[in-house]
Amino acid sequence: MKKFTIILLLVSFLMIIPVTVSAQQSGGELIIAVPASQEPGTMDGHIDPYQNTWLFNSFSADPLLILSPSGEYLPCLAESWEMAEDGFSWIFHLRNDVFFQDGTPFNAEALQKNFERVKAPETASVQMADELGPIAGYETPDEYTFIVKYDSPWPALLDGLRRLPIWSPTAFEKYGLADFEKHLIGTGPFIYKGAVAGDHISYERWEDYGGWNPIHDHEGPAYLEKVTIRYIGEQLVLGNMVDSGEAHIAQDIPATSCEDYENNEDATLLTGYQAGTGLQWVFNTLKAPLNQVEVRQALLYATDQDDINESVFDGRYLTQKGPLNKVHPCYWDGVEEMYPYDLDKANELLETAGWVYDGGAFRVAKGVEGVEDGTVLTFVFSALGEERARIGEILQLQWAPIGVDLKVEVIAGPIQIEKVQNKDFDLMYERQRTPDPRVLDMVWNSKNDYPGGWAWSGLKIPELDEALNKIAENSVLEERCAYAKAAQEIIMQNVGMLPTVSAPNFYAVSNSVHNFQLGSEGNWWFLNNTWIEE
């Protein structure tokens, strides 16, 4: 057996306690405002496919391991782990002093029931089942040893386990799939008290918390008595929540609000970055006219990412030209030169593809296979949230000179999944966040093009699938990155997506809050040691 490690080249941020404060204070209610678009479809992270759901779950459910603010995997409910030399199995050595909030002991049997629940077809896990990989079976040699066996090597398991909430099997068996999300019971520092749709989530301190998370730096339970997550629908309102005193922390404030918290005596601006796909829109290559590679190429040549960044985000985001963002350890810089902004080239490609001007502002089809002559060159840009939709509004202006009529729609997460499963989209927002290069396999391997899968483009390229399979099977980061870079080139040659920008996470934090810790991914944070100065 061998230890399996990943070196993460990411930036982490930690809020510093002012030296004038002498001691932590227990108690108080921490109010955190987040965009309304982050409201989960279900609070059960075994089912819901979004990072914010797993983050909220982490307050009440410790995982097997965490990704620390410095980018290291650290033991949590698992004391240690090993991957077999051939990559076909993992062994986890579990803590023997952990119990769930309902008194159920945490052990190998409880962990296996969590794995089985995620993988069960009736659970309909959209992403977490994929994160756990092609499991062949389990073994529990003793009460605190858990072995996962695989049909093929699965070196990326740890990246999924750091986000997997471990729930009490007593609780999820008692309440069933339909009702368990109202009774989430884990081993974390806070007890889930419920959610009000469209308004908030509530947590209360668990007095018996054992400090099992390595981020927990003190004896006893968390300092905070209560935590409330509030959903805010308007971006400008969200940006003002801390300044107005309505919240202690506001996550993902708009770039236009950042200036309000720079040199602010009462609050601090924190910025976090996260490796992943960035803000990309996947092309539906099965739907005319996006089945024409020339059309997809033209749209990329007509896209000015610098203009999007300046116009929408005050230049505070990172521009992006390919399937991975610049902070990803496997980013390939060759994407920067593939599709420079060139309206002449874009117009030439559309003419070649059979899209011509016929007296109107927009191009129409002429002799395009599968498209009736005279059909206007129109696409729908599907975005989650108002701020993402503003990217589409800039693209409307950028693409008008090449004769493209772009419509922009704002949709919720569940509608996004429904449209994708029905292949009822043109350009669909898809964002995945992880420093593991397997993110490319998840989004671009044609084997993942199934209901609930994340390969949405419809591309089926054997050369690409082969490179992506190598990423999923290989355990050496340098080799995995080499395959990832080859995959990025193939994806961009075949124009599977529209890259725009990569979003930092901007936080406004009241100076009354101490020890609010950002993870190495900018949209993840820890509240174990957080306290409020009254």
Side-chain angles (χ1 to χ4, degrees):
M1 303 296 223
K2 64 181 179 181
K3 292 288 183 184
F4 182 78
T5 59
I6 287 183
I7 299 174
L8 302 174
L9 304 178
L10 298 175
V11 181
S12 66
F13 297 84
L14 177 62
M15 191 172 181
I16 301 173
I17 306 174
V19 296
T20 55
V21 178
S22 59
Q24 295 90 343
Q25 298 174 10
S26 183
E29 178 183 6
L30 182 71
I31 299 175
I32 304 175
V34 302
S37 60
Q38 292 190 11
E39 182 175 8
T42 169
M43 283 297 297
D44 186 350
H46 285 186
I47 302 172
D48 201 79
Y50 295 106
Q51 179 97 335
N52 48 288
T53 307
W54 300 322
L55 169 67
F56 300 154
N57 287 168
S58 73
F59 306 153
S60 56
D62 277 340
L64 285 182
L65 52 108
I66 70 165
L67 185 64
S68 74
S70 62
E72 301 174 274
Y73 289 128
L74 297 179
C76 191
L77 299 187
E79 290 185 327
S80 62
W81 50 86
E82 301 163 341
M83 185 181 72
E85 292 286 347
D86 61 7
F88 279 84
S89 63
W90 284 87
I91 297 181
F92 294 90
H93 305 282
L94 310 179
R95 294 184 66 123
N96 62 8
D97 60 347
V98 179
F99 54 93
F100 292 93
Q101 293 162 353
D102 62 358
T104 301
F106 168 75
N107 52 30
E109 180 184 1
L111 182 57
Q112 179 172 331
K113 287 184 176 181
N114 272 263
F115 271 63
E116 290 172 339
R117 182 175 187 264
V118 170
K119 298 295 285 187
E122 60 268 22
T123 302
S125 176
V126 178
Q127 180 164 345
M128 194 52 73
D130 180 71
E131 297 276 0
L132 297 186
I135 295 175
Y138 311 96
E139 290 183 8
T140 54
D142 58 58
E143 189 174 4
Y144 298 105
T145 303
F146 179 63
I147 301 175
V148 191
K149 295 188 172 183
Y150 283 92
D151 291 323
S152 58
W154 197 251
L157 177 62
L158 300 186
D159 189 58
L161 293 184
R162 68 183 173 88
R163 293 176 287 192
L164 173 67
I166 307 299
W167 301 126
S168 164
T170 302
F172 63 64
E173 289 172 355
K174 174 182 178 180
Y175 293 107
L177 277 174
D179 290 333
F180 178 65
E181 70 160 327
K182 303 173 186 174
H183 307 276
L184 303 175
I185 296 174
T187 64
F190 298 96
I191 297 172
Y192 175 71
K193 301 302 291 184
V196 175
D199 194 79
H200 71 273
I201 311 171
S202 297
Y203 298 88
E204 289 184 2
R205 179 171 59 203
W206 183 29
E207 298 296 343
D208 293 327
Y209 181 61
W212 302 301
N213 193 313
I215 206 77
H216 200 83
D217 67 1
H218 59 278
E219 295 291 328
Y223 295 121
L224 297 167
E225 183 178 353
K226 295 181 179 181
V227 175
T228 298
I229 308 296
R230 288 187 57 189
Y231 302 125
I232 306 300
E234 296 292 333
Q235 285 284 303
L236 292 179
V237 175
L238 178 66
N240 191 50
M241 288 292 289
V242 173
D243 221 13
S244 66
E246 297 179 75
H248 296 96
I249 298 171
Q251 180 187 3
D252 290 341
I253 64 172
T256 52
S257 296
C258 288
E259 188 175 356
D260 297 338
Y261 295 97
E262 294 172 334
N263 303 314
N264 188 317
E265 295 182 356
D266 300 316
T268 299
L269 177 69
L270 298 183
T271 303
Y273 295 89
Q274 49 195 321
T277 63
L279 307 188
Q280 68 174 8
W281 273 260
V282 174
F283 290 125
N284 183 356
T285 66
L286 302 179
K287 182 179 180 182
L290 288 172
N291 59 344
Q292 295 178 280
V293 67
E294 297 89 352
V295 171
R296 303 197 301 269
Q297 289 174 332
L299 297 180
L300 262 64
Y301 278 116
T303 299
D304 185 345
Q305 285 88 351
D306 290 318
D307 180 47
I308 292 172
N309 192 20
E310 292 295 333
S311 299
V312 181
F313 307 110
D314 285 353
R316 293 177 181 268
Y317 279 26
L318 302 175
T319 57
Q320 184 165 335
K321 295 294 186 72
L324 293 180
N325 59 19
K326 295 173 183 176
V327 299
H328 199 286
C330 297
Y331 162 74
W332 176 58
D333 62 7
V335 297
E336 299 297 325
E337 305 300 327
M338 290 189 72
Y339 297 97
Y341 181 62
D342 189 337
L343 291 181
D344 290 338
K345 181 68 173 177
N347 277 305
E348 178 185 336
L349 284 165
L350 291 178
E351 288 284 344
T352 301
W355 294 92
V356 301
Y357 284 109
D358 189 26
F362 302 115
R363 291 178 180 271
V364 297
K366 183 178 181 180
V368 178
E369 184 177 354
V371 180
E372 184 178 352
D373 281 357
T375 300
V376 175
L377 186 56
T378 301
F379 303 109
V380 177
F381 181 91
S382 302
L384 271 64
E386 294 179 4
E387 191 170 46
R388 304 293 180 257
R390 291 175 62 199
I391 295 176
E393 292 167 0
I394 299 301
L395 288 170
Q396 285 177 324
L397 301 176
Q398 292 185 358
W399 292 357
I402 63 169
V404 172
D405 180 19
L406 184 66
K407 312 291 187 184
V408 178
E409 66 173 7
V410 178
I411 58 175
I415 302 301
Q416 175 197 41
I417 300 301
E418 179 182 340
K419 281 179 168 288
V420 166
Q421 290 182 350
N422 295 328
K423 297 298 183 185
D424 180 26
F425 71 95
D426 295 325
L427 288 86
M428 179 60 72
Y429 174 74
E430 181 175 16
R431 184 184 188 187
Q432 300 289 345
R433 308 165 177 90
T434 174
D436 194 293
R438 198 185 75 84
V439 66
L440 291 174
D441 177 70
M442 182 190 308
V443 176
W444 297 106
N445 197 318
S446 63
K447 70 183 180 184
N448 295 322
D449 185 1
Y450 59 86
W454 293 94
W456 298 346
S457 71
L459 289 177
K460 289 179 170 49
I461 306 169
E463 181 187 6
L464 174 59
D465 288 347
E466 182 179 359
L468 297 172
N469 288 334
K470 295 290 187 182
I471 294 173
E473 297 169 0
N474 202 304
S475 63
V476 180
L477 181 60
E478 291 78 8
E479 295 178 10
R480 301 178 83 210
C481 280
Y483 290 121
K485 291 177 181 180
Q488 290 168 73
E489 183 173 10
I490 298 170
I491 292 166
M492 295 312 294
Q493 286 171 344
N494 290 274
V495 203
M497 46 79 75
L498 172 73
T500 60
V501 293
S502 183
N505 296 98
F506 299 121
Y507 295 79
V509 183
S510 166
N511 287 343
S512 66
V513 176
H514 302 275
N515 274 12
F516 173 68
Q517 295 171 275
L518 292 189
S520 60
E521 288 189 299
N523 67 337
W524 196 273
W525 22 278
F526 301 93
L527 300 178
N528 295 64
N529 309 310
T530 304
W531 56 281
I532 304 171
E533 181 183 1
E534 298 296 340

